[in-house]
Amino acid sequence: MPNHSESPKAASSSISLNQANLSRLSPDLNPPTYDRKALKPRIVHVGVGGFHRSHEAFYTDELLRQNPSCDWGICGVGLREADTRIAEVLKRQDHLYTLIVRRPDGKVESRVIGSIMGFLQGWSDPEAVINQMADPVTEIVSLTITEGGYNVDTATGEFNWNNPDAVHDLEHPQTPKLVFGFLTAALQQRRAKNLPAFTIQSCDNIQHNGNLTRKMLLAFAERQDPELANWIDTHVAFPNAMVDRITPVTTAADSNHLLERYGVVDEWPVTCEPFCQWVIEDQFSSERPAWEAAGTQFVPDVTPYEKMKLRLLNAGHSVLGLLGSLHGFDTIDEAVNDSLFAEYLRGFMDIEATPTLDRVEGIELSGYKSTLIERFGNPNIQDRLSRICLESSAKLPVFLIPTLRDNLDSGGSIKFATLLLVAWCYYSDQQTDLEGNGLEIIDGLKEPLHRAAAGTRQEPLSFLEVKPVFGDLACDDRFTSQYIAMVEALYETNDIASLMKTVIADAGL
Ligand code: CS2
């Protein structure tokens, strides 16, 4: 959740953002032009973080502006107690918030988004969430629950029954904790009432995110009620999708900007870049919004788009995030504006990631990569490396390790990716940058990663023993000899820049 503890200090003349005050707002804030009262909660969205608010809620708001007779509204859902603050803020603001789009040239465009119309708290009132999902008005349940939220046992790729919450959900189907428990409880009701199924739309950065959601939900449902599992298998659609918009953590400066510039008190706005992309497989259980009017692309197969995005953008972020953190950088633009880091990033993308990608209809990869470097360089986004590096144990197995494995299989270059894993080992071991300044590490596997990495001086491959992340990578001799050589060099010299230069030089760049 965004670290946004300070609320803007309101002056007596300031306007609180809420429905009643919409007509008093500056037109420059582009308040909704449609009748919010006419919206129906046809979408239930789980995980109302910054990304949902800059992406799906934005696309839906755009659609509503273009077609005022459209009635697709979003009912937000939080499943964790940590969602209390967003629930309270949205409630106070009648679920309105400002999206602040910051361009690289310094221009800022803000708009008040009106597509979210409610918020339900799964941790304190699970029944309300289940009933809302089960209500015939709901046609889509969409998810932004992060890479780790799919409850995958990364060592096997299967549903993780070691998670006590999964067992709890089997025993207490009406008071679930995991999203899968909520979905089966709601789908059970719909099946019992002979209602059509809703579509489940994943909006997370995972290859084949729809297929994975389906696999995990069916595994859970199979244990709970095999007949329900069959029904889900036949009736529920899980379109795969590629989602993209860089959305940094909101800071107090974002709220202050709105207060100073427009006299508006928005307790939790969202800042993002201008670029926005959403490519979805057009397979829905029933109706869907005509999001294409708002710029969404509907395609028969999203695989090449998602692979391209995960392996270039997300992995590129991790390259800058981990190497940049060791070097002492704070933000992505700082890192990418350093010529060594830019060259390294481009080398990784051209030499290691690109050969593993499939052709993408209508996209010229070289231009896509240049655009990525421009997007990363946007100085007004202030995307912190701490955001990029958080939960690396859930990200790197999706963003980076598949590229490394493909290159191991094909005999391709592995040095750029290997140095990244070596940097991650040092980062997890020392928990400081190379100057000894402390780094705040947020990761569900922080302790196991630290313990494994701390054994590196005695046994250079020790970090790779974290099997849920690395699987059997340590069995590949070409990889391990490269890894050991780089670990020894980094631990001896504490000099990441020289190692990066060597990788670039060895690649003949
Ligand atoms: C980032 C993503 O979490 C990460 O490491 O790479 O959040 C990225 O900013 C988004 O996927 C952009 O679409």
Side-chain angles (χ1 to χ4, degrees):
M1 258 298 157
N3 164 23
H4 184 249
S5 50
E6 289 171 51
S7 291
K9 309 270 174 300
S12 53
S13 57
S14 57
I15 308 168
S16 296
L17 181 60
N18 59 39
Q19 183 69 32
N21 286 340
L22 277 183
S23 57
R24 296 174 59 206
L25 298 183
S26 154
D28 291 347
L29 280 173
N30 294 301
T33 47
Y34 46 91
D35 177 11
R36 294 185 73 227
K37 286 194 297 300
L39 299 184
K40 298 195 182 113
R42 298 177 74 181
I43 302 171
V44 171
H45 182 81
V46 183
V48 186
F51 181 71
H52 170 68
R53 296 199 288 148
S54 73
H55 196 260
E56 183 179 348
F58 156 78
Y59 276 107
T60 308
D61 177 84
E62 179 65 24
L63 172 63
L64 293 166
R65 285 167 194 253
Q66 292 192 18
N67 180 358
S69 65
C70 172
D71 61 358
W72 285 88
I74 301 173
C75 173
V77 166
L79 297 183
R80 304 161 316 150
E81 209 164 344
D83 297 324
T84 304
R85 183 164 148 73
I86 188 72
E88 289 171 356
V89 169
L90 286 179
K91 186 160 181 235
R92 277 199 288 278
Q93 300 189 169
D94 297 322
H95 310 97
L96 294 163
Y97 62 93
T98 317
L99 187 63
I100 307 171
V101 179
R102 295 186 187 273
R103 300 189 175 274
D105 63 5
K107 287 209 183 84
V108 182
E109 284 159 20
S110 299
R111 73 150 80 171
V112 173
I113 302 280
S115 51
I116 300 182
M117 51 179 300
F119 190 95
L120 299 172
Q121 309 187 161
W123 68 96
S124 59
D125 191 357
E127 197 185 346
V129 173
I130 295 169
N131 289 344
Q132 186 61 53
M133 289 178 176
D135 191 292
V137 78
T138 300
E139 307 211 43
I140 296 175
V141 175
S142 54
L143 314 174
T144 312
I145 52 177
T146 78
E147 295 79 19
Y150 290 80
N151 199 47
V152 183
D153 177 335
T154 35
T156 61
E158 303 299 324
F159 191 85
N160 177 15
W161 289 106
N162 292 326
N163 180 350
D165 287 348
V167 178
H168 167 278
D169 287 7
L170 278 185
E171 287 164 3
H172 305 94
Q174 293 314 312
T175 53
K177 294 187 176 182
L178 297 182
V179 71
F180 302 106
F182 282 94
L183 291 170
T184 51
L187 289 165
Q188 181 73 280
Q189 275 194 37
R190 290 178 88 117
R191 177 169 172 253
K193 291 181 193 156
N194 251 325
L195 290 170
F198 47 72
T199 300
I200 302 182
Q201 170 78 72
S202 168
C203 302
D204 282 292
N205 286 312
I206 297 178
Q207 178 96 46
H208 304 321
N209 52 13
N211 298 356
L212 181 78
T213 313
R214 179 172 181 279
K215 179 174 172 184
M216 294 301 122
L217 182 64
L218 287 179
F220 179 78
E222 190 65 45
R223 281 236 187 146
Q224 196 178 49
D225 175 351
E227 282 184 16
L228 176 66
N230 269 338
W231 188 83
I232 293 175
D233 197 16
T234 316
H235 296 282
V236 179
F238 300 82
N240 292 308
M242 180 266 248
V243 293
D244 193 6
R245 187 168 222 179
I246 295 174
T247 308
V249 175
T250 302
T251 66
D254 298 318
S255 293
N256 287 335
H257 161 78
L258 295 172
L259 184 61
E260 279 158 25
R261 179 102 185 247
Y262 303 106
V264 165
V265 181
D266 183 340
E267 295 181 55
W268 204 333
V270 179
T271 283
C272 64
E273 62 169 343
F275 184 94
C276 198
Q277 194 174 16
W278 196 7
V279 189
I280 312 177
E281 283 175 6
D282 203 355
Q283 294 162 9
F284 284 71
S285 307
S286 56
E287 271 191 68
R288 65 159 175 83
W291 276 314
E292 57 271 46
T296 302
Q297 291 160 260
F298 285 95
V299 297
D301 178 12
V302 84
T303 312
Y305 294 90
E306 48 184 17
K307 209 164 158 191
M308 170 186 82
K309 194 260 172 168
L310 295 167
R311 293 186 180 202
L312 293 173
L313 187 152
N314 296 110
H317 258 167
S318 299
V319 165
L320 295 175
L322 285 163
L323 295 171
S325 293
L326 286 195
H327 189 77
F329 289 133
D330 192 29
T331 59
I332 286 287
D333 63 296
E334 230 184 305
V336 82
N337 286 325
D338 179 292
S339 57
L340 173 63
F341 281 74
E343 215 180 324
Y344 193 91
L345 173 66
R346 190 74 202 211
F348 164 76
M349 295 200 291
D350 288 345
I351 295 172
E352 295 190 358
T354 303
T356 73
L357 300 179
D358 310 314
R359 220 176 68 78
V360 186
E361 191 68 40
I363 295 187
E364 194 265 303
L365 277 178
S366 169
Y368 181 81
K369 289 182 274 192
S370 302
T371 307
L372 282 186
I373 292 181
E374 278 166 32
R375 291 169 62 193
F376 289 174
N378 184 336
N380 305 310
I381 288 295
Q382 295 290 296
D383 198 9
R384 307 226 163 271
L385 302 190
S386 53
R387 179 186 84 84
I388 300 302
C389 294
L390 68 84
E391 302 302 345
S392 286
S393 67
K395 291 177 178 177
L396 296 190
V398 181
F399 300 168
L400 181 89
I401 294 176
T403 295
L404 179 59
R405 284 187 190 281
D406 283 355
N407 283 320
L408 284 169
D409 288 347
S410 67
S413 163
I414 57 165
K415 288 187 179 175
F416 287 89
T418 304
L419 183 59
L420 190 67
L421 296 184
V422 168
W424 188 30
C425 169
Y426 186 101
Y427 164 100
S428 306
D429 175 8
Q430 304 290 309
Q431 308 194 345
T432 66
D433 65 18
L434 291 162
E435 299 283 311
N437 302 307
L439 293 168
E440 198 202 352
I441 299 183
I442 302 172
D443 199 304
L445 294 185
K446 179 178 170 177
E447 284 316 316
L449 288 166
H450 175 63
R451 275 197 303 279
T456 302
R457 285 186 203 277
Q458 287 74 44
E459 164 46 78
L461 295 177
S462 154
F463 187 50
L464 305 179
E465 280 160 21
V466 187
K467 294 283 177 263
V469 174
F470 300 108
D472 61 357
L473 214 47
C475 301
D476 189 295
D477 293 344
R478 181 158 78 101
F479 169 67
T480 51
S481 54
Q482 184 64 65
Y483 181 88
I484 293 172
M486 286 176 164
V487 155
E488 286 174 350
L490 182 61
Y491 274 70
E492 199 182 304
T493 61
N494 272 358
D495 184 355
I496 195 75
S498 295
L499 280 163
M500 290 166 69
K501 282 182 196 152
T502 307
V503 171
I504 293 171
D506 288 354
L509 296 176

